[in-house]
Amino acid sequence: MWETDKIIGVDCEYGDIQSKEVLTGGKMESREREMKGPLDGLRVIDWMMWQFGPVSTMMLADMGAEVIKIESLDGDHGRQLGRVRGHSAETKGGLSAYFEGMNRQKLGMALDLKNPRALKIMHQLVAESDIFVQNFRKGVAERLGVGYENLIEYNPQLIYASASGYGPDGPDSEKPAFALTAEARAGALWWFGPDDDTPHELDIADQIAGMMLSYGVIGAVVSRERFGFGQKVDVSHLGSMIWARGMQNGISLLQDFEMPRFERKMAGQVLWNYYKCADGEWIAFSMGQGDRYWPTFCKAINRLDLIDNPKFSNMTVRFDNRVELIEILDSVFVTLPRLEWERRLKESGDLIWERVQRTLDLPNDPQVIANEYVVDFDHPVIGSSKWLQTPVTYSKTPLSTRKMAPAHGEDTEEILINLLGYDWDEILSLKMEGAIL
C-alpha cells in the first residue's frame, strides 16, 4: 500500500523507473528494482469468480499492481469450466483455458470465509492493501463480513469495488446476471444480423464490463491520491453494455427512434460494409464520408461507370438504391482474391479499408506483433503459448506478462508468512481447522 510520497525515482537518461522504497510485510524497505508498471506499489485483493471481475483485476496486475486472488476451498468455478460454447476449454496439462486466460499475473490464496480464523486473515489482508474487488450477488459480502462497511473498519482509505449485474440500486439489484443476460437487457442483441425477430449474441459484455471496472478503480485511486479518501465503486454488466453501444443508444435516445440493426445486404452506407472476395476472404470498408471517397473507390475497383450513374452518384441515391448497389459490389469483389484487392486498394490512394481477420491470424499480424497486443509466454504447464496483453502502452512504465495464473491456493502460506507474519505452527492449525487449503 502506498504510504510514502517518495516512491518513484526516474533515471532520465535511460527512462528506467525504479522504486526506492517498497512495502513488504506492512513495512517499508529500501531497495532498487525495476518497476512492473504504472500501478506498481498497489495491492489488490481479488475476491471474484468467472470472467467480468477477474478480467478487471488482471488488467490492474498487467499494469503492475500486486493482485492476491482469494478463492474458496473449492476454487473459482471458472477452474472447472470444461467447455465454452460446446468446445473443450482444456489446455495441455489439463488446465482450463478459460481460467488461465483471465487470472494471469496474480497470487493465489484459498480461504473459507465462513471460518472465523479465515475471515480474520481476510481482514488482515485488507488492512495491508489498497483495493478490494468482489463480484458476488448483493448481500453475500455483507453476510460473510466483507462488505464495504465491514472492511473500512480495518482500512478507512480502502477502495472497495463491486462488479454487479444490474447496479447497486433498483428493484433488480439482487438479480443474478451473466454476459448474455446483460446484453439482452441492454438492448445489444439487436445490434446486427438479418432484419428478423432473432436476437444475435455479441459475447463482449464480460470484457467490456471488466474494462469499465478497472477504469472505475483507477479513477478511485487517483481520487484517493489527490484528496486522501477511499470510496466504494460499482460497475455493472447492464450499465457497461448500455455505455458500450454509445452511438446506437445515444442517437436513438436523442431522437426517440430505434436505430435499425445492421444487415450487410441492406447496409445504409455501402462504403461502411464488408465484401467477400474470390478466395472466400473478406474486406471491410469504413468510410462514413461516402461522397468524398466514392470516385476513388470506383476507380480502385475499375467501375468508373458507377461514379456518375444517377442511381449511385451521391449518398442519398446510393441509400435509396443500396440493395441493387450492394449486389453489384458483391459481384465485383468475388472476381478476385483478397490479396489482389489489397494491392489495388493500396495503389488507389486515400481509402479506409481493412482485411477481415480471424483470431488465429492475429499472432502473425505485423501490427499486432509490433505493439505486443498478443505476447509469447513460456507457461510452465502449457508451454510456449500466445496470450492477450492489456493494450495500453506506456513510455516509461511498460506492461509485461510475468506470471501464469496461480494454482488453487498456491501462495497461501507465503502470503501468511511474509505479509501477515504467521508462523508454521499457526498455518498447520489453520489447515487442520479447514480455514485455509
Side-chain angles (χ1 to χ4, degrees):
M1 186 165 62
W2 286 345
E3 293 181 353
T4 176
D5 292 329
K6 297 180 180 178
I7 294 180
I8 297 175
V10 181
D11 184 332
C12 296
E13 182 177 359
Y14 299 104
D16 293 332
I17 297 184
Q18 299 175 324
S19 173
K20 303 300 184 183
E21 298 175 283
V22 291
L23 184 65
T24 302
K27 299 178 181 179
M28 302 303 296
E29 69 174 22
S30 295
R31 64 183 175 91
E32 293 190 356
R33 62 177 175 79
E34 291 185 2
M35 297 289 287
K36 296 176 182 177
L39 299 185
D40 194 17
L42 285 173
R43 180 175 292 124
V44 180
I45 304 301
D46 167 342
W47 183 50
M48 295 188 288
M49 294 192 297
W50 302 113
Q51 183 174 349
F52 167 10
V55 162
S56 69
T57 47
M58 187 182 72
M59 292 175 67
L60 300 177
D62 278 350
M63 290 188 278
E66 178 187 88
V67 176
I68 301 175
K69 182 176 180 67
I70 307 295
E71 300 179 63
S72 64
L73 300 195
D74 60 355
D76 181 333
H77 295 336
R79 290 185 183 274
Q80 291 86 44
L81 193 66
R83 290 186 173 272
V84 177
R85 296 187 177 279
H87 298 283
S88 173
E90 188 172 305
T91 71
K92 297 176 184 177
L95 300 176
S96 168
Y98 177 91
F99 180 86
E100 294 294 314
M102 63 195 72
N103 287 287
R104 184 184 69 240
Q105 315 276 52
K106 303 175 185 180
L107 304 173
M109 293 188 74
L111 303 175
D112 179 6
L113 292 183
K114 294 179 181 179
N115 185 302
R117 294 188 70 185
L119 180 60
K120 179 182 177 182
I121 292 171
M122 177 70 96
H123 292 162
Q124 291 172 323
L125 287 171
V126 166
E128 300 294 346
S129 301
D130 300 274
I131 301 157
F132 179 90
V133 192
Q134 61 96 0
N135 68 343
F136 287 79
R137 289 175 65 175
K138 186 176 181 180
V140 172
E142 289 75 15
R143 288 197 297 272
L144 290 175
V146 290
Y148 176 64
E149 297 299 333
N150 303 118
L151 296 190
I152 59 174
E153 292 182 12
Y154 301 92
N155 186 346
Q157 289 193 309
L158 182 71
I159 294 166
Y160 186 106
S162 295
S164 66
Y166 296 96
D169 303 313
D172 291 329
S173 59
E174 297 183 18
K175 190 176 180 180
F178 278 96
L180 183 56
T181 53
E183 292 175 1
R185 186 72 174 264
L189 298 188
W190 302 109
W191 202 335
F192 66 95
D195 191 13
D196 57 20
D197 61 355
T198 306
H200 292 265
E201 185 178 1
L202 296 176
D203 198 26
I204 62 171
D206 280 326
Q207 207 75 0
I208 289 291
M211 291 162 59
M212 190 63 72
L213 183 59
S214 62
Y215 171 86
V217 167
I218 292 171
V221 169
V222 173
S223 177
R224 192 183 67 178
E225 292 304 303
R226 293 185 65 201
F227 308 123
F229 54 78
Q231 59 186 304
K232 188 176 182 181
V233 179
D234 187 280
V235 171
S236 72
H237 259 137
L238 176 61
S240 298
M241 276 309 303
I242 291 173
W243 178 257
R245 296 191 67 236
M247 183 184 73
Q248 291 84 357
N249 284 349
I251 293 174
S252 294
L253 291 171
L254 289 174
Q255 295 185 336
D256 194 23
F257 171 76
E258 194 74 41
M259 286 280 286
R261 69 195 306 173
F262 180 85
E263 182 183 356
R264 197 193 71 82
K265 292 185 177 181
M266 292 283 293
Q269 223 284 51
V270 299
L271 295 187
W272 195 285
N273 206 356
Y274 38 98
Y275 299 93
K276 191 175 184 179
C277 305
D279 54 359
E281 302 295 344
W282 293 75
I283 291 182
F285 295 88
S286 183
M287 294 176 281
Q289 297 172 287
D291 288 341
R292 170 185 170 182
Y293 294 104
W294 182 242
T296 305
F297 173 80
C298 292
K299 292 175 184 176
I301 66 172
N302 197 28
R303 287 297 303 265
L304 300 180
D305 59 302
L306 298 177
I307 296 176
D308 296 319
N309 186 314
K311 294 168 67 175
F312 312 128
S313 59
N314 61 62
M315 287 184 67
T316 299
V317 294
R318 283 196 296 275
F319 176 82
D320 294 338
N321 298 289
R322 64 192 184 279
V323 176
E324 178 184 354
L325 181 53
I326 290 171
E327 288 180 355
I328 292 172
L329 297 179
D330 280 343
S331 69
V332 171
F333 279 98
V334 79
T335 62
L336 295 172
R338 185 169 67 185
L339 282 175
E340 176 59 22
W341 283 122
E342 290 182 355
R343 185 189 67 79
R344 295 188 180 199
L345 292 168
K346 287 177 182 177
E347 292 176 354
S348 68
D350 186 23
L351 292 174
I352 304 172
W353 58 274
E354 192 51 83
R355 58 175 51 197
V356 178
Q357 298 198 127
R358 296 171 176 81
T359 300
L360 295 185
D361 295 327
L362 301 179
N364 299 315
D365 186 320
Q367 196 65 22
V368 173
I369 295 169
N371 291 284
E372 297 187 328
Y373 296 144
V374 174
V375 296
D376 293 302
F377 184 62
D378 189 14
H379 192 286
V381 177
I382 301 171
S384 179
S385 43
K386 302 287 185 180
W387 298 75
L388 302 179
Q389 178 66 280
T390 297
V392 181
T393 300
Y394 294 95
S395 63
K396 295 183 178 179
T397 55
L399 310 189
S400 63
T401 294
R402 304 175 299 277
K403 181 185 179 298
M404 64 179 281
H408 188 196
E410 175 183 338
D411 304 289
T412 302
E413 296 169 356
E414 181 180 351
I415 293 169
L416 288 173
I417 292 170
N418 294 337
L419 180 61
L420 300 183
Y422 281 66
D423 59 34
W424 284 108
D425 288 338
E426 291 173 301
I427 289 174
L428 179 60
S429 174
L430 288 164
K431 289 188 175 185
M432 292 180 64
E433 288 188 19
I436 65 174
L437 190 63

